[in-house]
Amino acid sequence: SQQGEEDPQALSIQEGENATMNCSYKTSINNLQWYRQNSGRGLVHLILIRSNEREKHSGRLRVTLDTSKKSSSLLITASRAADTASYFCATGGNEKLTFGTGTRLTIIP
Amino acid sequence: DAGVIQSPRHEVTEMGQEVTLRCKPISGHNSLFWYRQTMMRGLELLIYFNNNVPIDDSGMPEDRFSAKMPNASFSTLKIQPSEPRDSAVYFCASSSGFLQPQHFGDGTRLSIL
């Protein structure tokens, strides 16, 4: 069963705009991770945030975590055509991860 | 560095046949994961190994599925006998431990006719 639910399910924006995706989960976690999946490829790890962290940055990515609301957000700034992909959050209490349903992001050139 | 390598990339076979999927994890990684991805159920963890030992196989759907990791550089996922509902993309991933990213292969797209 999936613990994480991403919102929205699909998002289309113009190149250069910012994209925000949200993830909600149900049980206590130790860490939350975001992954990207290009069509026909495996998932690629983007960023990991621990349960005692509130915000983390990596290049054009910004992730926030609110454990009181059991939610996280992924912000991609200055989007590019190459950012077109599906994005998944994954929650873990140990080494095992449970993946959400994903947000399909389309960047319009 | 080579990533996680899965073979075959595509497999089409008839119902009832045995299917074997293969995975070579990244050298030095001590954890290996098998996932299945479908439109209906998303990405599901089937089983994971740590230091070649199965730790959690609660996601294996039924006895028709089995997985082995005879050494640190090779794992197999076997389906016998296969059924049309087993059609999915199967991913293998490896990691170097707790709180480390999982590195995924490009998957095996399995179609059971």
Side-chain angles (χ1 to χ4, degrees), chain A residues 1-2 30-31 33 35 37 40-45 48 50 88 92-101, chain B residues 9 30-31 33 35 37 41-43 45 48 50 56 58 91 95 97-102 104-106 109:
Chain A
S1 63
Q2 288 149 353
N30 189 287
N31 70 97
Q33 303 181 33
Y35 286 78
Q37 185 179 30
R41 304 297 300 273
L43 281 72
V44 174
H45 180 263
L48 181 153
R50 302 185 185 210
F88 296 87
N94 50 32
E95 198 163 12
K96 181 176 168 179
L97 292 178
T98 304
F99 284 82
T101 51
Chain B
R9 285 297 314 276
N30 58 4
S31 294
F33 307 81
Y35 292 91
Q37 187 177 39
R41 299 176 66 88
L43 193 66
L45 177 67
Y48 85 93
N50 185 265
D56 186 337
S58 58
F91 288 102
S95 80
F98 182 50
L99 292 180
Q100 296 301 313
Q102 292 187 15
F104 283 72
D106 279 335
R109 183 172 294 277

Side-chain angles (χ1 to χ4, degrees), chain B residues 22-53:
Chain B
R22 296 173 177 80
C23 175
K24 177 179 170 56
I26 292 173
S27 178
H29 283 188
N30 58 4
S31 294
L32 183 140
F33 307 81
W34 281 101
Y35 292 91
R36 178 172 68 177
Q37 187 177 39
T38 61
M39 289 294 294
M40 290 294 294
R41 299 176 66 88
L43 193 66
E44 303 173 282
L45 177 67
L46 301 176
I47 185 171
Y48 85 93
F49 296 83
N50 185 265
N51 292 324
N52 312 337
V53 176

Side-chain angles (χ1 to χ4, degrees), chain A residues 17-22 34 47 55-64 72-78:
Chain A
E17 294 181 339
N18 296 341
T20 299
M21 289 158 269
N22 302 296
W34 285 91
I47 198 164
E55 188 170 312
K56 204 160 183 181
H57 297 253
S58 177
R60 294 184 295 113
L61 306 181
R62 173 178 164 248
V63 167
T64 62
S72 173
S73 67
L74 170 67
L75 168 68
I76 303 174
T77 60

Side-chain angles (χ1 to χ4, degrees), chain B residues 56-70:
Chain B
D56 186 337
D57 65 355
S58 58
M60 295 286 263
E62 46 197 280
D63 292 345
R64 298 184 297 106
F65 285 69
S66 63
K68 293 182 179 179
M69 191 164 186

Side-chain angles (χ1 to χ4, degrees), chain B residues 10-27:
Chain B
H10 303 273
E11 174 91 12
V12 180
T13 191
E14 292 188 347
M15 181 175 64
Q17 296 297 306
E18 178 179 292
V19 173
T20 300
L21 310 182
R22 296 173 177 80
C23 175
K24 177 179 170 56
I26 292 173
S27 178

